[in-house]
């Protein structure tokens, strides 16, 4: 996965409104020692967070 890719993830909020959300990868933190973390921003509803690749599903690759 890379910056610009559209991904889906489970929201971290508890409650009945919690559902799968779509967002774009906006940043990658990779120190070369552990697994990379991806910053994902969702606009509807607004949500932002850092996720491991195992928590994300690739929906569409961003344009090169």
């Amino acid at each position: 996965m890379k910056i610009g890719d559209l991904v889906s993830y489970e929201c971290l909020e508890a409650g009945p409104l919690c559902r799968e959300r779509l967002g774009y990868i906006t940043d990658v933190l990779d120190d070369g020692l552990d697994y990379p973390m991806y910053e994902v921003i969702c606009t509807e509803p607004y949500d932002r967070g850092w996720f491991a690749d195992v928590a994300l599903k690739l929906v569409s690759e961003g344009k090169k």
Side-chain angles (χ1 to χ4, degrees):
M1 285 184 268
K2 64 188 180 313
I3 293 174
D5 287 352
L6 178 65
V7 294
S8 66
Y9 62 97
E10 294 292 326
C11 72
L12 301 176
E13 300 169 359
L17 298 178
C18 187
R19 65 184 197 319
E20 189 172 68
R21 293 187 177 168
L22 296 175
Y24 286 97
I25 295 177
T26 59
D27 198 3
V28 180
L29 178 62
D30 187 1
D31 61 6
L33 301 174
D34 296 318
Y35 298 101
M37 295 293 290
Y38 299 91
E39 181 182 35
V40 178
I41 295 180
C42 172
T43 57
E44 187 57 44
Y46 179 78
D47 188 33
R48 177 181 175 185
W50 288 89
F51 301 90
D53 60 349
V54 295
L56 302 172
K57 292 183 227 169
L58 183 64
V59 174
S60 177
E61 290 188 9
K63 293 183 180 183
K64 295 180 182 187

